[in-house]
Amino acid sequence: MYPLAPLHNPAGLVGYKSFSKLLPDASQTFVFDTAFHQTMPAENFIYPIPYEYYEEDKIRRYGFHGTSHKYLTQRYAEITGKKPEDVQIITCHLGNGGSITAVKDGKSFKTSMGLTPLAGIEMGTRSGDIDPAIPGVLMQRHNLTAQEVDNILNKKSGLLGVSGVSSDSRDIENAAKEGNERAKLASKIFDDRVIETVGGYYALMGGADAILFAGGIGENSITTREAIIDGLAALGVKLDHEANNCRGKEVKISADDSSMDVYVIPTDEEVMIARDAYKNLAAE
């Protein structure tokens, strides 16, 4: 039973046990994707359900992709010459899995994933946030088990479920260009979920200095970035369309008269893990 991140932790433990057997004298470091988000205030991680479920079962928002969001925060500080504690940004890790984080004073303030990576925006095969009554309805109407519904929401929903085409955003973009209405709908849902999340975090933080894009979609999808920034026009953010015409490289893509900076910053979770491992070894 893996109550936290059941899709990921079992595989991680397989790796740990295998290396422990093969290299018994080697030091091992666990780097948790949830760690960066432990700075969230209670109002941003407590769910409005009976409080005893938090106290007894630790049901709360944990957040994920923390290694990526931390890297983006530190890299933006380096680019702009700021101290990390002076950074006020919204980081968008958009890929087959996606999450958005409000970073206030260099620390995670709120993030879109929750108790599990299923929460938040629409993803490749994950639904993201839905009416919490839907699982019960599906179980009753289709005689499904809780595990079957969990499988549907994690592996058969999102871009794949809506479009019926693919979980890959590149396939969705191509299908939309060819006139596939469900592919267009899947893309629209994705863009709008990101827009409303970024806009909400901007309001909660009282403003932000920058929006950062990372992940497979965030780093490579020109049209997705354009749709999202155009959808945030009410905040005064503007895109430099020529600068945005790029894939997979670090670049500022906001216009000179934009209210906020917008950057594409390819994430590097591996280097963050290596740095944490190095710190752990140095402390031994």
Side-chain angles (χ1 to χ4, degrees), residues 95-111:
N96 196 261
S99 65
I100 302 172
T101 296
V103 178
K104 187 174 184 179
D105 301 325
K107 299 177 181 179
S108 177
F109 178 69
K110 188 167 187 178
T111 193

Side-chain angles (χ1 to χ4, degrees), residues 236-253:
V237 61
K238 297 180 182 180
L239 193 66
D240 180 329
H241 293 276
E242 183 176 348
N244 185 50
N245 190 29
C246 68
R247 301 180 189 275
K249 67 177 184 178
E250 186 175 282
V251 61
K252 181 179 178 180
I253 60 171

Side-chain angles (χ1 to χ4, degrees), residues 15-92:
Y16 161 70
K17 291 175 181 177
S18 298
F19 277 104
S20 293
K21 183 178 180 179
L22 294 170
L23 300 169
D25 297 325
S27 295
Q28 296 201 51
T29 300
F30 286 81
V31 178
F32 293 94
D33 237 11
T34 56
F36 181 62
H37 302 300
Q38 293 307 296
T39 54
M40 288 189 292
E43 65 269 22
N44 289 341
F45 69 74
I46 293 291
Y47 288 117
I49 59 176
Y51 196 76
E52 57 263 29
Y53 294 124
Y54 165 65
E55 294 180 305
E56 297 172 9
D57 302 312
K58 307 306 177 186
I59 302 296
R60 53 158 286 175
R61 182 187 304 275
Y62 287 98
F64 298 86
H65 293 144
T67 308
S68 176
H69 293 295
K70 184 178 181 180
Y71 174 81
L72 296 174
T73 300
Q74 293 184 356
R75 182 61 190 143
Y76 176 75
E78 291 173 357
I79 293 169
T80 58
K82 295 182 178 181
K83 296 179 180 178
E85 59 266 28
D86 294 331
V87 168
Q88 322 291 332
I89 56 176
I90 299 171
T91 53
C92 303

Side-chain angles (χ1 to χ4, degrees), residues 4-253:
L4 180 62
L7 299 179
H8 302 82
N9 282 346
L13 287 172
V14 168
Y16 161 70
K17 291 175 181 177
S18 298
F19 277 104
S20 293
K21 183 178 180 179
L22 294 170
L23 300 169
D25 297 325
S27 295
Q28 296 201 51
T29 300
F30 286 81
V31 178
F32 293 94
D33 237 11
T34 56
F36 181 62
H37 302 300
Q38 293 307 296
T39 54
M40 288 189 292
E43 65 269 22
N44 289 341
F45 69 74
I46 293 291
Y47 288 117
I49 59 176
Y51 196 76
E52 57 263 29
Y53 294 124
Y54 165 65
E55 294 180 305
E56 297 172 9
D57 302 312
K58 307 306 177 186
I59 302 296
R60 53 158 286 175
R61 182 187 304 275
Y62 287 98
F64 298 86
H65 293 144
T67 308
S68 176
H69 293 295
K70 184 178 181 180
Y71 174 81
L72 296 174
T73 300
Q74 293 184 356
R75 182 61 190 143
Y76 176 75
E78 291 173 357
I79 293 169
T80 58
K82 295 182 178 181
K83 296 179 180 178
E85 59 266 28
D86 294 331
V87 168
Q88 322 291 332
I89 56 176
I90 299 171
T91 53
C92 303
H93 180 107
L94 308 179
N96 196 261
S99 65
I100 302 172
T101 296
V103 178
K104 187 174 184 179
D105 301 325
K107 299 177 181 179
S108 177
F109 178 69
K110 188 167 187 178
T111 193
S112 59
M113 284 181 167
L115 174 71
T116 75
L118 182 58
I121 62 173
E122 179 190 38
M123 298 171 235
T125 61
R126 297 178 193 146
S127 65
D129 291 343
I130 59 171
D131 186 325
I134 290 175
V137 171
L138 294 178
M139 292 171 70
Q140 290 177 348
R141 291 186 180 178
H142 299 281
N143 195 30
L144 299 171
T145 65
Q147 184 58 48
E148 287 172 328
V149 172
D150 185 79
N151 186 64
I152 289 169
L153 297 180
N154 270 294
K155 298 182 179 180
K156 298 181 180 180
S157 300
L159 293 173
L160 173 63
V162 176
S163 72
V165 172
S166 172
S167 63
D168 192 314
S169 66
R170 294 167 294 187
D171 296 333
I172 302 295
E173 284 188 20
N174 290 334
K177 289 176 183 177
E178 294 170 359
N180 186 308
E181 293 301 322
R182 282 176 57 182
K184 293 179 183 178
L185 177 61
S187 294
K188 180 63 173 171
I189 293 171
F190 181 89
D191 296 341
D192 285 358
R193 284 290 184 90
V194 175
I195 291 165
E196 68 178 323
T197 304
V198 171
Y201 287 179
Y202 180 90
L204 280 174
M205 289 203 299
D209 300 324
I211 299 169
L212 311 184
F213 287 100
I217 298 174
E219 294 168 23
N220 296 289
S221 179
I222 296 166
T223 57
T224 298
R225 294 194 302 258
E226 180 178 16
I228 292 169
I229 297 304
D230 286 351
L232 292 166
L235 301 182
V237 61
K238 297 180 182 180
L239 193 66
D240 180 329
H241 293 276
E242 183 176 348
N244 185 50
N245 190 29
C246 68
R247 301 180 189 275
K249 67 177 184 178
E250 186 175 282
V251 61
K252 181 179 178 180
I253 60 171

Side-chain angles (χ1 to χ4, degrees), residues 260-271:
M260 285 181 280
D261 290 340
V262 183
Y263 278 88
V264 177
I265 300 179
T267 192
D268 196 338
E269 293 162 290
E270 289 80 6
V271 76

